Amino acid sequence: MAIKYPLPPEIDPERLPRHIAIIMDGNGRWAKAHKLQVALGHRAGTENLREIIRNASDIGVGALTLYAFSTENWRRSKTEVDALMQLILDFFASEIDELIENRVRITILGDKDGLPAPQREALAQAEERTRHLEGLRLNIAVNYGGRAELVRAAQQLAREAADGVLDPAAIDEAMLESRLYTAGVPDVDLLIRTSGEMRLSNFLLWQCSYAEFLFPETLWPDFHVPDLHRCIWQFQNRDRRYGGR
Ligand code: IPE
Ligand code: IPE
Ligand code: MG
């Protein structure tokens, strides 16, 4: 089937970011601007997901990571948290078949054990059903915090050292990386945060070491494939020096 939104000619298909991460921000402001309850803003913020994921997969991006719920988002009202949790269930129920059809491999970043049982099971099942697929790597960060991820990795390594199966001197960057939720996924090349906020909010602290950051003003529910392509174009016009000359 033809690609629904092919890359515009100004984008070089050979130099796509291998890993795009998105902080999907601005649902609350979108709801307010439309005089709607915040839950409807979050719902609107799931309606563009299908086209964004589909396009990332179609154009050949290797990995796409979406920030859906942070360890700090529990601070919101119970009504809002409940609405977000329900949307997570709805998303997987409605999308999983098409994702499998498109060979998308899903990985959940974050502490699934801290989630209610239905969400925990749905997320584990999505991972299980797509583990063998070799298409787009779709990572969804749920109950995720970058610091918690690093603490977890440190605990795993410390436990192995205490058990005598790991020499602390052997710990290097690659080994620490292999204990992250994103083990095996390349570093983030392009980090996009919608809604104009310019902060990381505890997202992928390790993985974004040399990411290019873009902060489009667009609120997440209004972000569509042409906006994604504009971000990729801007990314391709950045000069990545990695400390060199
Ligand atoms: C992002 O939208 C979605 C989540 C945090 C789950 P927000 O709800 O943070 O939207 P704003 O920042 O209030 O506009
Ligand atoms: C970050 O957005 C989390 C997600 C998008 C899931 P927030 O809206 O929660 O972040 P802050 O509070 O503005 O830093
Ligand atoms: Mg926000």
Side-chain angles (χ1 to χ4, degrees):
M1 202 173 80
I3 296 186
K4 192 165 172 202
Y5 300 101
L7 280 173
E10 62 272 23
I11 292 181
D12 177 356
E14 303 298 322
R15 291 194 306 118
L16 292 177
R18 285 196 303 167
H19 184 176
I20 300 177
I22 308 183
I23 302 177
M24 308 182 288
D25 200 11
N27 296 348
R29 278 160 283 168
W30 186 94
K32 197 165 177 210
H34 290 79
K35 298 190 167 42
L36 295 169
Q37 289 186 344
V38 68
L40 292 173
H42 291 310
R43 179 164 291 282
T46 62
E47 278 160 13
N48 51 352
L49 271 178
R50 176 188 287 213
E51 57 168 289
I52 295 284
I53 296 168
R54 181 63 199 260
N55 192 254
S57 162
D58 284 349
I59 66 178
V61 170
L64 175 68
T65 300
L66 303 172
Y67 206 2
F69 193 90
S70 75
T71 46
E72 289 72 37
N73 287 145
W74 297 109
R75 294 182 187 152
R76 299 188 180 195
S77 72
K78 181 173 178 331
T79 316
E80 183 170 356
V81 169
D82 287 350
L84 284 164
M85 290 296 143
Q86 185 58 45
L87 283 170
I88 289 170
L89 282 187
D90 295 350
F91 173 78
F92 282 100
S94 69
E95 301 305 316
I96 190 70
D97 289 341
E98 182 176 328
L99 291 169
I100 291 173
E101 212 169 288
N102 291 316
R103 320 295 300 161
V104 173
R105 175 174 170 187
I106 297 165
T107 302
I108 304 302
L109 317 184
D111 180 16
K112 288 197 288 286
D113 292 338
L115 295 170
Q119 282 73 13
R120 189 167 64 231
E121 279 155 27
L123 298 181
Q125 220 187 67
E127 285 184 307
E128 200 42 52
R129 291 183 65 193
T130 63
R131 196 178 295 285
H132 59 291
L133 300 177
E134 65 300 304
L136 173 73
R137 291 213 53 165
L138 175 64
N139 306 314
I140 306 197
V142 183
N143 195 21
Y144 173 86
R147 288 186 171 185
E149 178 181 40
L150 289 168
V151 167
R152 174 177 171 272
Q155 283 180 347
Q156 281 182 18
L157 294 173
R159 206 172 302 124
E160 289 166 36
D163 289 348
V165 293
L166 171 67
D167 172 7
I171 298 173
D172 58 8
E173 291 187 9
M175 189 181 290
L176 197 140
E177 202 167 279
S178 71
R179 298 326 199 259
L180 300 178
Y181 291 119
T182 50
V185 180
D187 278 348
V188 175
D189 290 311
L190 170 59
L191 182 283
I192 300 168
R193 181 172 190 151
T194 57
S195 86
E197 303 292 355
M198 297 188 211
R199 55 175 170 268
L200 216 37
S201 300
N202 205 9
F203 193 42
L204 302 177
L205 300 177
W206 172 283
Q207 298 86 340
C208 281
S209 287
Y210 264 104
E212 295 295 330
F213 287 51
L214 286 173
F215 301 104
E217 294 287 332
T218 316
L219 302 175
W220 173 252
D222 294 327
F223 191 90
H224 297 289
V225 172
D227 304 287
L228 176 68
H229 289 174
R230 192 168 315 114
C231 288
I232 294 174
W233 180 78
Q234 287 177 286
F235 166 82
Q236 291 191 338
N237 283 284
R238 291 277 178 93
D239 180 16
R240 302 183 84 190
R241 286 188 292 275
Y242 298 99
R245 183 60 68 200

